[in-house]
PDB file of all heavy atoms in Angstrom:
ATOM      1  N   VAL A   1     115.538  34.255  31.035  1.00 92.00           N
ATOM      2  CA  VAL A   1     115.208  32.870  31.160  1.00 92.00           C
ATOM      3  C   VAL A   1     114.320  32.634  32.435  1.00 92.00           C
ATOM      4  O   VAL A   1     113.365  32.004  32.431  1.00 92.00           O
ATOM      5  CB  VAL A   1     116.503  31.985  31.396  1.00 92.00           C
ATOM      6  CG1 VAL A   1     116.152  30.540  31.655  1.00 92.00           C
ATOM      7  CG2 VAL A   1     117.279  32.015  30.071  1.00 92.00           C
ATOM      8  N   LEU A   2     114.729  33.247  33.535  1.00 91.00           N
ATOM      9  CA  LEU A   2     114.050  33.102  34.943  1.00 91.00           C
ATOM     10  C   LEU A   2     112.582  33.695  34.766  1.00 91.00           C
ATOM     11  O   LEU A   2     111.766  33.156  35.552  1.00 91.00           O
ATOM     12  CB  LEU A   2     114.843  33.659  36.045  1.00 91.00           C
ATOM     13  CG  LEU A   2     114.977  35.042  36.317  1.00 91.00           C
ATOM     14  CD1 LEU A   2     113.754  35.626  37.122  1.00 91.00           C
ATOM     15  CD2 LEU A   2     116.183  35.519  36.990  1.00 91.00           C
ATOM     16  N   SER A   3     112.430  34.617  33.992  1.00 88.00           N
ATOM     17  CA  SER A   3     111.123  35.277  33.972  1.00 88.00           C
ATOM     18  C   SER A   3     110.167  34.532  33.080  1.00 88.00           C
ATOM     19  O   SER A   3     108.976  34.973  32.839  1.00 88.00           O
ATOM     20  CB  SER A   3     111.224  36.743  33.667  1.00 88.00           C
ATOM     21  OG  SER A   3     111.806  36.791  32.294  1.00 88.00           O
ATOM     22  N   GLY A   4     110.620  33.552  32.375  1.00 83.00           N
ATOM     23  CA  GLY A   4     109.863  32.861  31.321  1.00 83.00           C
ATOM     24  C   GLY A   4     109.652  33.586  29.953  1.00 83.00           C
ATOM     25  O   GLY A   4     109.037  33.116  29.095  1.00 83.00           O
ATOM     26  N   GLY A   5     110.551  34.639  29.829  1.00 74.00           N
ATOM     27  CA  GLY A   5     110.598  35.371  28.575  1.00 74.00           C
ATOM     28  C   GLY A   5     111.538  34.772  27.543  1.00 74.00           C
ATOM     29  O   GLY A   5     112.585  35.374  27.372  1.00 74.00           O
ATOM     30  N   GLY A   6     111.164  33.707  26.987  1.00 83.00           N
ATOM     31  CA  GLY A   6     112.155  32.977  26.117  1.00 83.00           C
ATOM     32  C   GLY A   6     112.308  33.948  24.727  1.00 83.00           C
ATOM     33  O   GLY A   6     113.426  33.994  24.332  1.00 83.00           O
ATOM     34  N   GLY A   7     111.244  34.471  24.293  1.00 87.00           N
ATOM     35  CA  GLY A   7     111.372  35.337  23.154  1.00 87.00           C
ATOM     36  C   GLY A   7     112.207  36.610  23.524  1.00 87.00           C
ATOM     37  O   GLY A   7     113.115  37.038  22.646  1.00 87.00           O
ATOM     38  N   ALA A   8     111.957  37.141  24.745  1.00 90.00           N
ATOM     39  CA  ALA A   8     112.900  38.341  25.130  1.00 90.00           C
ATOM     40  C   ALA A   8     114.382  37.856  25.168  1.00 90.00           C
ATOM     41  O   ALA A   8     115.264  38.676  24.727  1.00 90.00           O
ATOM     42  CB  ALA A   8     112.406  38.785  26.448  1.00 90.00           C
ATOM     43  N   ALA A   9     114.613  36.664  25.805  1.00 92.00           N
ATOM     44  CA  ALA A   9     115.974  36.233  25.869  1.00 92.00           C
ATOM     45  C   ALA A   9     116.619  35.996  24.627  1.00 92.00           C
ATOM     46  O   ALA A   9     117.823  36.323  24.331  1.00 92.00           O
ATOM     47  CB  ALA A   9     116.097  34.923  26.773  1.00 92.00           C
ATOM     48  N   LEU A  10     115.849  35.492  23.570  1.00 93.00           N
ATOM     49  CA  LEU A  10     116.388  35.225  22.212  1.00 93.00           C
ATOM     50  C   LEU A  10     116.748  36.574  21.586  1.00 93.00           C
ATOM     51  O   LEU A  10     117.717  36.669  20.862  1.00 93.00           O
ATOM     52  CB  LEU A  10     115.372  34.435  21.458  1.00 93.00           C
ATOM     53  CG  LEU A  10     115.356  32.947  21.645  1.00 93.00           C
ATOM     54  CD1 LEU A  10     114.163  32.290  20.987  1.00 93.00           C
ATOM     55  CD2 LEU A  10     116.646  32.210  21.314  1.00 93.00           C
ATOM     56  N   PHE A  11     115.770  37.473  21.672  1.00 94.00           N
ATOM     57  CA  PHE A  11     116.026  38.796  21.013  1.00 94.00           C
ATOM     58  C   PHE A  11     117.191  39.447  21.680  1.00 94.00           C
ATOM     59  O   PHE A  11     118.026  40.133  21.023  1.00 94.00           O
ATOM     60  CB  PHE A  11     114.801  39.622  21.240  1.00 94.00           C
ATOM     61  CG  PHE A  11     114.913  41.115  20.601  1.00 94.00           C
ATOM     62  CD1 PHE A  11     114.743  41.175  19.231  1.00 94.00           C
ATOM     63  CD2 PHE A  11     115.236  42.182  21.351  1.00 94.00           C
ATOM     64  CE1 PHE A  11     114.929  42.442  18.657  1.00 94.00           C
ATOM     65  CE2 PHE A  11     115.403  43.386  20.788  1.00 94.00           C
ATOM     66  CZ  PHE A  11     115.196  43.581  19.494  1.00 94.00           C
ATOM     67  N   TYR A  12     117.417  39.311  23.001  1.00 94.00           N
ATOM     68  CA  TYR A  12     118.527  39.893  23.682  1.00 94.00           C
ATOM     69  C   TYR A  12     119.987  39.292  23.237  1.00 94.00           C
ATOM     70  O   TYR A  12     120.847  39.993  22.957  1.00 94.00           O
ATOM     71  CB  TYR A  12     118.422  39.710  25.143  1.00 94.00           C
ATOM     72  CG  TYR A  12     119.375  40.664  25.874  1.00 94.00           C
ATOM     73  CD1 TYR A  12     119.031  41.977  26.401  1.00 94.00           C
ATOM     74  CD2 TYR A  12     120.690  40.293  26.186  1.00 94.00           C
ATOM     75  CE1 TYR A  12     119.834  42.868  26.991  1.00 94.00           C
ATOM     76  CE2 TYR A  12     121.618  41.110  26.824  1.00 94.00           C
ATOM     77  CZ  TYR A  12     121.252  42.368  27.210  1.00 94.00           C
ATOM     78  OH  TYR A  12     122.059  43.225  27.982  1.00 94.00           O
ATOM     79  N   VAL A  13     119.913  37.998  23.125  1.00 94.00           N
ATOM     80  CA  VAL A  13     121.205  37.327  22.782  1.00 94.00           C
ATOM     81  C   VAL A  13     121.549  37.637  21.336  1.00 94.00           C
ATOM     82  O   VAL A  13     122.636  37.778  20.982  1.00 94.00           O
ATOM     83  CB  VAL A  13     121.082  35.816  23.017  1.00 94.00           C
ATOM     84  CG1 VAL A  13     120.373  34.999  21.995  1.00 94.00           C
ATOM     85  CG2 VAL A  13     122.579  35.246  23.201  1.00 94.00           C
ATOM     86  N   ALA A  14     120.401  37.855  20.445  1.00 94.00           N
ATOM     87  CA  ALA A  14     120.626  38.203  19.107  1.00 94.00           C
ATOM     88  C   ALA A  14     121.275  39.542  19.014  1.00 94.00           C
ATOM     89  O   ALA A  14     122.215  39.906  18.271  1.00 94.00           O
ATOM     90  CB  ALA A  14     119.393  38.139  18.286  1.00 94.00           C
ATOM     91  N   ALA A  15     120.672  40.630  19.744  1.00 94.00           N
ATOM     92  CA  ALA A  15     121.218  41.903  19.824  1.00 94.00           C
ATOM     93  C   ALA A  15     122.696  41.893  20.339  1.00 94.00           C
ATOM     94  O   ALA A  15     123.447  42.613  19.783  1.00 94.00           O
ATOM     95  CB  ALA A  15     120.357  42.749  20.680  1.00 94.00           C
ATOM     96  N   TYR A  16     122.882  41.163  21.396  1.00 94.00           N
ATOM     97  CA  TYR A  16     124.170  41.102  21.996  1.00 94.00           C
ATOM     98  C   TYR A  16     125.249  40.662  21.006  1.00 94.00           C
ATOM     99  O   TYR A  16     126.361  41.003  20.875  1.00 94.00           O
ATOM    100  CB  TYR A  16     124.301  40.197  23.254  1.00 94.00           C
ATOM    101  CG  TYR A  16     125.618  40.011  23.770  1.00 94.00           C
ATOM    102  CD1 TYR A  16     126.331  40.985  24.407  1.00 94.00           C
ATOM    103  CD2 TYR A  16     126.218  38.762  23.540  1.00 94.00           C
ATOM    104  CE1 TYR A  16     127.642  40.715  24.821  1.00 94.00           C
ATOM    105  CE2 TYR A  16     127.499  38.458  23.939  1.00 94.00           C
ATOM    106  CZ  TYR A  16     128.226  39.502  24.638  1.00 94.00           C
ATOM    107  OH  TYR A  16     129.494  39.280  24.946  1.00 94.00           O
ATOM    108  N   ALA A  17     124.869  39.440  20.209  1.00 93.00           N
ATOM    109  CA  ALA A  17     125.733  38.897  19.284  1.00 93.00           C
ATOM    110  C   ALA A  17     126.107  39.996  18.203  1.00 93.00           C
ATOM    111  O   ALA A  17     127.325  40.129  17.848  1.00 93.00           O
ATOM    112  CB  ALA A  17     125.247  37.644  18.648  1.00 93.00           C
ATOM    113  N   LEU A  18     125.149  40.732  17.791  1.00 93.00           N
ATOM    114  CA  LEU A  18     125.451  41.791  16.820  1.00 93.00           C
ATOM    115  C   LEU A  18     126.339  42.841  17.313  1.00 93.00           C
ATOM    116  O   LEU A  18     127.304  43.222  16.739  1.00 93.00           O
ATOM    117  CB  LEU A  18     124.053  42.461  16.355  1.00 93.00           C
ATOM    118  CG  LEU A  18     124.177  43.615  15.403  1.00 93.00           C
ATOM    119  CD1 LEU A  18     124.617  43.102  13.991  1.00 93.00           C
ATOM    120  CD2 LEU A  18     122.758  44.147  15.110  1.00 93.00           C
ATOM    121  N   MET A  19     126.128  43.286  18.521  1.00 93.00           N
ATOM    122  CA  MET A  19     126.910  44.301  19.218  1.00 93.00           C
ATOM    123  C   MET A  19     128.437  43.816  19.426  1.00 93.00           C
ATOM    124  O   MET A  19     129.258  44.504  19.206  1.00 93.00           O
ATOM    125  CB  MET A  19     126.319  44.878  20.413  1.00 93.00           C
ATOM    126  CG  MET A  19     124.958  45.605  20.227  1.00 93.00           C
ATOM    127  SD  MET A  19     124.304  46.242  21.629  1.00 93.00           S
ATOM    128  CE  MET A  19     123.831  44.798  22.643  1.00 93.00           C
ATOM    129  N   THR A  20     128.406  42.580  19.907  1.00 93.00           N
ATOM    130  CA  THR A  20     129.781  42.071  20.290  1.00 93.00           C
ATOM    131  C   THR A  20     130.583  41.804  19.020  1.00 93.00           C
ATOM    132  O   THR A  20     131.863  41.957  18.970  1.00 93.00           O
ATOM    133  CB  THR A  20     129.729  40.885  21.230  1.00 93.00           C
ATOM    134  OG1 THR A  20     130.805  40.738  21.931  1.00 93.00           O
ATOM    135  CG2 THR A  20     129.346  39.596  20.541  1.00 93.00           C
ATOM    136  N   ILE A  21     129.957  41.336  17.933  1.00 92.00           N
ATOM    137  CA  ILE A  21     130.761  41.148  16.767  1.00 92.00           C
ATOM    138  C   ILE A  21     131.289  42.480  16.154  1.00 92.00           C
ATOM    139  O   ILE A  21     132.446  42.602  15.754  1.00 92.00           O
ATOM    140  CB  ILE A  21     129.767  40.522  15.674  1.00 92.00           C
ATOM    141  CG1 ILE A  21     129.555  39.003  15.958  1.00 92.00           C
ATOM    142  CG2 ILE A  21     130.451  40.632  14.256  1.00 92.00           C
ATOM    143  CD1 ILE A  21     128.565  38.342  14.990  1.00 92.00           C
ATOM    144  N   GLY A  22     130.504  43.532  16.332  1.00 91.00           N
ATOM    145  CA  GLY A  22     130.963  44.917  15.954  1.00 91.00           C
ATOM    146  C   GLY A  22     132.072  45.285  16.851  1.00 91.00           C
ATOM    147  O   GLY A  22     133.131  45.832  16.395  1.00 91.00           O
ATOM    148  N   GLY A  23     131.952  45.179  18.152  1.00 89.00           N
ATOM    149  CA  GLY A  23     132.924  45.673  19.107  1.00 89.00           C
ATOM    150  C   GLY A  23     134.305  44.992  18.956  1.00 89.00           C
ATOM    151  O   GLY A  23     135.351  45.629  18.758  1.00 89.00           O
ATOM    152  N   PHE A  24     134.300  43.550  18.852  1.00 88.00           N
ATOM    153  CA  PHE A  24     135.509  42.882  18.717  1.00 88.00           C
ATOM    154  C   PHE A  24     135.997  43.100  17.237  1.00 88.00           C
ATOM    155  O   PHE A  24     137.239  42.863  16.814  1.00 88.00           O
ATOM    156  CB  PHE A  24     135.419  41.359  18.982  1.00 88.00           C
ATOM    157  CG  PHE A  24     135.423  41.241  20.513  1.00 88.00           C
ATOM    158  CD1 PHE A  24     134.162  41.005  21.259  1.00 88.00           C
ATOM    159  CD2 PHE A  24     136.538  41.274  21.269  1.00 88.00           C
ATOM    160  CE1 PHE A  24     134.213  40.906  22.614  1.00 88.00           C
ATOM    161  CE2 PHE A  24     136.655  41.120  22.659  1.00 88.00           C
ATOM    162  CZ  PHE A  24     135.454  40.877  23.277  1.00 88.00           C
ATOM    163  N   GLY A  25     135.036  43.237  16.227  1.00 87.00           N
ATOM    164  CA  GLY A  25     135.385  43.395  14.866  1.00 87.00           C
ATOM    165  C   GLY A  25     136.302  44.701  14.712  1.00 87.00           C
ATOM    166  O   GLY A  25     137.202  44.687  13.855  1.00 87.00           O
ATOM    167  N   VAL A  26     136.010  45.746  15.505  1.00 87.00           N
ATOM    168  CA  VAL A  26     136.789  46.966  15.489  1.00 87.00           C
ATOM    169  C   VAL A  26     138.247  46.616  15.908  1.00 87.00           C
ATOM    170  O   VAL A  26     139.344  47.045  15.380  1.00 87.00           O
ATOM    171  CB  VAL A  26     136.222  48.052  16.466  1.00 87.00           C
ATOM    172  CG1 VAL A  26     137.187  49.136  16.577  1.00 87.00           C
ATOM    173  CG2 VAL A  26     134.860  48.613  15.671  1.00 87.00           C
ATOM    174  N   ILE A  27     138.403  45.936  17.030  1.00 85.00           N
ATOM    175  CA  ILE A  27     139.745  45.432  17.533  1.00 85.00           C
ATOM    176  C   ILE A  27     140.441  44.637  16.380  1.00 85.00           C
ATOM    177  O   ILE A  27     141.603  44.987  16.260  1.00 85.00           O
ATOM    178  CB  ILE A  27     139.530  44.680  18.889  1.00 85.00           C
ATOM    179  CG1 ILE A  27     138.979  45.354  19.925  1.00 85.00           C
ATOM    180  CG2 ILE A  27     140.957  44.119  19.264  1.00 85.00           C
ATOM    181  CD1 ILE A  27     138.583  44.728  21.217  1.00 85.00           C
ATOM    182  N   VAL A  28     139.790  43.809  15.788  1.00 85.00           N
ATOM    183  CA  VAL A  28     140.331  43.042  14.702  1.00 85.00           C
ATOM    184  C   VAL A  28     140.891  43.925  13.662  1.00 85.00           C
ATOM    185  O   VAL A  28     141.972  43.797  13.172  1.00 85.00           O
ATOM    186  CB  VAL A  28     139.238  41.931  14.099  1.00 85.00           C
ATOM    187  CG1 VAL A  28     139.852  41.300  12.898  1.00 85.00           C
ATOM    188  CG2 VAL A  28     139.090  40.940  15.199  1.00 85.00           C
ATOM    189  N   PHE A  29     140.088  44.927  13.176  1.00 84.00           N
ATOM    190  CA  PHE A  29     140.467  45.877  12.097  1.00 84.00           C
ATOM    191  C   PHE A  29     141.535  46.749  12.525  1.00 84.00           C
ATOM    192  O   PHE A  29     142.322  47.106  11.658  1.00 84.00           O
ATOM    193  CB  PHE A  29     139.245  46.675  11.596  1.00 84.00           C
ATOM    194  CG  PHE A  29     138.201  45.760  10.883  1.00 84.00           C
ATOM    195  CD1 PHE A  29     136.863  46.130  10.974  1.00 84.00           C
ATOM    196  CD2 PHE A  29     138.515  44.633  10.131  1.00 84.00           C
ATOM    197  CE1 PHE A  29     135.859  45.412  10.306  1.00 84.00           C
ATOM    198  CE2 PHE A  29     137.596  43.922   9.561  1.00 84.00           C
ATOM    199  CZ  PHE A  29     136.306  44.281   9.560  1.00 84.00           C
ATOM    200  N   LEU A  30     141.699  47.029  13.740  1.00 81.00           N
ATOM    201  CA  LEU A  30     142.721  48.028  14.135  1.00 81.00           C
ATOM    202  C   LEU A  30     144.026  47.335  14.549  1.00 81.00           C
ATOM    203  O   LEU A  30     144.923  47.880  14.739  1.00 81.00           O
ATOM    204  CB  LEU A  30     142.138  48.735  15.455  1.00 81.00           C
ATOM    205  CG  LEU A  30     141.119  49.769  15.267  1.00 81.00           C
ATOM    206  CD1 LEU A  30     140.796  50.410  16.609  1.00 81.00           C
ATOM    207  CD2 LEU A  30     141.374  50.702  14.172  1.00 81.00           C
ATOM    208  N   SER A  31     144.031  46.005  14.386  1.00 74.00           N
ATOM    209  CA  SER A  31     145.195  45.286  14.650  1.00 74.00           C
ATOM    210  C   SER A  31     146.142  45.428  13.316  1.00 74.00           C
ATOM    211  O   SER A  31     146.203  44.518  12.514  1.00 74.00           O
ATOM    212  CB  SER A  31     144.995  43.791  14.938  1.00 74.00           C
ATOM    213  OG  SER A  31     144.220  43.653  16.106  1.00 74.00           O
ATOM    214  N   ILE A  32     146.865  46.567  13.301  1.00 62.00           N
ATOM    215  CA  ILE A  32     147.567  46.841  12.096  1.00 62.00           C
ATOM    216  C   ILE A  32     149.108  46.347  12.427  1.00 62.00           C
ATOM    217  O   ILE A  32     149.701  46.613  13.458  1.00 62.00           O
ATOM    218  CB  ILE A  32     147.612  48.360  11.891  1.00 62.00           C
ATOM    219  CG1 ILE A  32     146.194  48.668  11.670  1.00 62.00           C
ATOM    220  CG2 ILE A  32     148.537  48.828  10.646  1.00 62.00           C
ATOM    221  CD1 ILE A  32     145.997  50.292  11.454  1.00 62.00           C
ATOM    222  N   GLY A  33     149.620  45.816  11.381  1.00 58.00           N
ATOM    223  CA  GLY A  33     151.132  45.451  11.506  1.00 58.00           C
ATOM    224  C   GLY A  33     151.462  44.296  12.539  1.00 58.00           C
ATOM    225  O   GLY A  33     152.509  44.237  12.941  1.00 58.00           O
ATOM    226  N   GLY A  34     150.364  43.561  12.825  1.00 58.00           N
ATOM    227  CA  GLY A  34     150.652  42.510  13.811  1.00 58.00           C
ATOM    228  C   GLY A  34     150.421  42.820  15.184  1.00 58.00           C
ATOM    229  O   GLY A  34     150.501  42.024  16.155  1.00 58.00           O
ATOM    230  N   ARG A  35     150.304  44.138  15.531  1.00 66.00           N
ATOM    231  CA  ARG A  35     150.156  44.561  16.923  1.00 66.00           C
ATOM    232  C   ARG A  35     148.620  44.846  17.152  1.00 66.00           C
ATOM    233  O   ARG A  35     148.086  45.530  16.498  1.00 66.00           O
ATOM    234  CB  ARG A  35     150.857  45.913  17.177  1.00 66.00           C
ATOM    235  CG  ARG A  35     150.816  46.531  18.566  1.00 66.00           C
ATOM    236  CD  ARG A  35     151.623  47.731  18.781  1.00 66.00           C
ATOM    237  NE  ARG A  35     150.881  48.866  18.344  1.00 66.00           N
ATOM    238  CZ  ARG A  35     150.021  49.544  19.075  1.00 66.00           C
ATOM    239  NH1 ARG A  35     149.711  49.157  20.233  1.00 66.00           N
ATOM    240  NH2 ARG A  35     149.449  50.669  18.532  1.00 66.00           N
ATOM    241  N   GLU A  36     148.162  44.213  18.309  1.00 69.00           N
ATOM    242  CA  GLU A  36     146.720  44.284  18.542  1.00 69.00           C
ATOM    243  C   GLU A  36     146.599  45.556  19.324  1.00 69.00           C
ATOM    244  O   GLU A  36     147.166  45.791  20.454  1.00 69.00           O
ATOM    245  CB  GLU A  36     146.452  42.983  19.407  1.00 69.00           C
ATOM    246  CG  GLU A  36     144.971  42.802  19.543  1.00 69.00           C
ATOM    247  CD  GLU A  36     144.660  41.418  20.215  1.00 69.00           C
ATOM    248  OE1 GLU A  36     144.541  41.452  21.434  1.00 69.00           O
ATOM    249  OE2 GLU A  36     144.571  40.392  19.522  1.00 69.00           O
ATOM    250  N   ARG A  37     145.710  46.442  18.758  1.00 73.00           N
ATOM    251  CA  ARG A  37     145.359  47.681  19.478  1.00 73.00           C
ATOM    252  C   ARG A  37     144.139  47.425  20.302  1.00 73.00           C
ATOM    253  O   ARG A  37     143.035  47.665  20.005  1.00 73.00           O
ATOM    254  CB  ARG A  37     145.016  48.642  18.334  1.00 73.00           C
ATOM    255  CG  ARG A  37     146.330  49.154  17.573  1.00 73.00           C
ATOM    256  CD  ARG A  37     145.893  49.967  16.354  1.00 73.00           C
ATOM    257  NE  ARG A  37     147.099  50.408  15.603  1.00 73.00           N
ATOM    258  CZ  ARG A  37     147.706  51.534  15.794  1.00 73.00           C
ATOM    259  NH1 ARG A  37     147.296  52.413  16.618  1.00 73.00           N
ATOM    260  NH2 ARG A  37     148.746  51.813  15.000  1.00 73.00           N
ATOM    261  N   ALA A  38     144.350  46.840  21.609  1.00 75.00           N
ATOM    262  CA  ALA A  38     143.219  46.558  22.374  1.00 75.00           C
ATOM    263  C   ALA A  38     143.366  47.300  23.728  1.00 75.00           C
ATOM    264  O   ALA A  38     142.546  46.919  24.686  1.00 75.00           O
ATOM    265  CB  ALA A  38     143.251  45.075  22.705  1.00 75.00           C
ATOM    266  N   GLU A  39     144.170  48.315  23.830  1.00 80.00           N
ATOM    267  CA  GLU A  39     144.221  49.158  25.054  1.00 80.00           C
ATOM    268  C   GLU A  39     143.190  50.211  24.865  1.00 80.00           C
ATOM    269  O   GLU A  39     142.936  50.783  23.718  1.00 80.00           O
ATOM    270  CB  GLU A  39     145.526  49.574  25.493  1.00 80.00           C
ATOM    271  CG  GLU A  39     146.616  48.554  25.602  1.00 80.00           C
ATOM    272  CD  GLU A  39     146.244  47.683  26.758  1.00 80.00           C
ATOM    273  OE1 GLU A  39     145.726  48.287  27.833  1.00 80.00           O
ATOM    274  OE2 GLU A  39     146.476  46.473  26.704  1.00 80.00           O
ATOM    275  N   LEU A  40     142.613  50.648  25.933  1.00 83.00           N
ATOM    276  CA  LEU A  40     141.749  51.914  25.954  1.00 83.00           C
ATOM    277  C   LEU A  40     142.473  53.159  25.429  1.00 83.00           C
ATOM    278  O   LEU A  40     141.946  54.064  24.643  1.00 83.00           O
ATOM    279  CB  LEU A  40     141.128  52.291  27.243  1.00 83.00           C
ATOM    280  CG  LEU A  40     140.215  51.250  27.862  1.00 83.00           C
ATOM    281  CD1 LEU A  40     139.530  51.774  29.123  1.00 83.00           C
ATOM    282  CD2 LEU A  40     139.066  50.937  26.849  1.00 83.00           C
ATOM    283  N   ALA A  41     143.807  53.163  25.720  1.00 83.00           N
ATOM    284  CA  ALA A  41     144.659  54.360  25.199  1.00 83.00           C
ATOM    285  C   ALA A  41     144.640  54.397  23.666  1.00 83.00           C
ATOM    286  O   ALA A  41     144.924  55.421  22.988  1.00 83.00           O
ATOM    287  CB  ALA A  41     146.051  54.303  25.820  1.00 83.00           C
ATOM    288  N   ASP A  42     144.594  53.264  22.984  1.00 82.00           N
ATOM    289  CA  ASP A  42     144.604  53.217  21.521  1.00 82.00           C
ATOM    290  C   ASP A  42     143.394  53.946  20.975  1.00 82.00           C
ATOM    291  O   ASP A  42     143.377  54.131  19.707  1.00 82.00           O
ATOM    292  CB  ASP A  42     144.691  51.774  21.061  1.00 82.00           C
ATOM    293  CG  ASP A  42     145.913  51.111  21.448  1.00 82.00           C
ATOM    294  OD1 ASP A  42     147.025  51.874  21.460  1.00 82.00           O
ATOM    295  OD2 ASP A  42     146.038  49.920  21.671  1.00 82.00           O
ATOM    296  N   MET A  43     142.350  54.108  21.696  1.00 86.00           N
ATOM    297  CA  MET A  43     141.110  54.757  21.265  1.00 86.00           C
ATOM    298  C   MET A  43     141.131  56.219  21.337  1.00 86.00           C
ATOM    299  O   MET A  43     140.295  56.985  20.791  1.00 86.00           O
ATOM    300  CB  MET A  43     139.850  54.305  22.003  1.00 86.00           C
ATOM    301  CG  MET A  43     139.755  52.780  22.003  1.00 86.00           C
ATOM    302  SD  MET A  43     139.664  51.962  20.387  1.00 86.00           S
ATOM    303  CE  MET A  43     138.108  52.690  19.738  1.00 86.00           C
ATOM    304  N   ARG A  44     142.268  56.844  21.857  1.00 86.00           N
ATOM    305  CA  ARG A  44     142.297  58.248  22.007  1.00 86.00           C
ATOM    306  C   ARG A  44     142.393  58.983  20.630  1.00 86.00           C
ATOM    307  O   ARG A  44     143.132  58.553  19.797  1.00 86.00           O
ATOM    308  CB  ARG A  44     143.492  58.728  22.812  1.00 86.00           C
ATOM    309  CG  ARG A  44     143.412  58.475  24.372  1.00 86.00           C
ATOM    310  CD  ARG A  44     144.523  59.277  25.057  1.00 86.00           C
ATOM    311  NE  ARG A  44     144.231  59.107  26.558  1.00 86.00           N
ATOM    312  CZ  ARG A  44     145.036  58.334  27.291  1.00 86.00           C
ATOM    313  NH1 ARG A  44     145.948  57.518  26.804  1.00 86.00           N
ATOM    314  NH2 ARG A  44     144.760  58.273  28.606  1.00 86.00           N
ATOM    315  N   GLY A  45     141.557  59.974  20.535  1.00 85.00           N
ATOM    316  CA  GLY A  45     141.576  60.768  19.237  1.00 85.00           C
ATOM    317  C   GLY A  45     141.152  59.980  18.038  1.00 85.00           C
ATOM    318  O   GLY A  45     141.458  60.420  16.856  1.00 85.00           O
ATOM    319  N   MET A  46     140.345  58.875  18.238  1.00 86.00           N
ATOM    320  CA  MET A  46     140.022  58.091  17.071  1.00 86.00           C
ATOM    321  C   MET A  46     139.085  58.824  16.115  1.00 86.00           C
ATOM    322  O   MET A  46     139.101  58.582  14.887  1.00 86.00           O
ATOM    323  CB  MET A  46     139.293  56.798  17.567  1.00 86.00           C
ATOM    324  CG  MET A  46     138.905  55.772  16.530  1.00 86.00           C
ATOM    325  SD  MET A  46     140.430  55.117  15.621  1.00 86.00           S
ATOM    326  CE  MET A  46     141.084  54.178  16.915  1.00 86.00           C
ATOM    327  N   ALA A  47     138.277  59.817  16.582  1.00 85.00           N
ATOM    328  CA  ALA A  47     137.524  60.505  15.717  1.00 85.00           C
ATOM    329  C   ALA A  47     138.116  61.374  14.709  1.00 85.00           C
ATOM    330  O   ALA A  47     137.768  61.582  13.499  1.00 85.00           O
ATOM    331  CB  ALA A  47     136.554  61.586  16.514  1.00 85.00           C
ATOM    332  N   GLN A  48     139.495  61.767  14.937  1.00 86.00           N
ATOM    333  CA  GLN A  48     140.211  62.597  14.015  1.00 86.00           C
ATOM    334  C   GLN A  48     141.029  61.612  13.095  1.00 86.00           C
ATOM    335  O   GLN A  48     141.457  61.871  12.021  1.00 86.00           O
ATOM    336  CB  GLN A  48     141.310  63.405  14.742  1.00 86.00           C
ATOM    337  CG  GLN A  48     140.715  64.613  15.516  1.00 86.00           C
ATOM    338  CD  GLN A  48     139.991  64.314  16.654  1.00 86.00           C
ATOM    339  OE1 GLN A  48     140.514  63.476  17.465  1.00 86.00           O
ATOM    340  NE2 GLN A  48     138.812  64.913  17.034  1.00 86.00           N
TER     341      GLN A  48
END
């Protein structure tokens, strides 16, 4: 905004919205059995 880059700001907020929906969407999907898996420790060994 301060640099006058309205197009850049719009592109950035669109990219941020896409990434944050994915990030919080993972937390939503991992909330199994009513327990919210939102601790960093819950991500251990996720690849396996």
Side-chain angles (χ1 to χ4, degrees):
V1 175
L2 75 87
S3 63
L10 284 172
F11 182 79
Y12 193 95
V13 81
Y16 170 76
L18 178 65
M19 295 183 294
T20 200
I21 287 174
F24 283 103
V26 168
I27 297 174
V28 168
F29 290 150
L30 294 181
S31 299
I32 301 170
R35 182 178 78 86
E36 199 170 86
R37 295 172 179 262
E39 299 297 324
L40 291 185
D42 293 325
M43 304 304 292
R44 284 197 174 100
M46 186 59 68
Q48 289 76 42

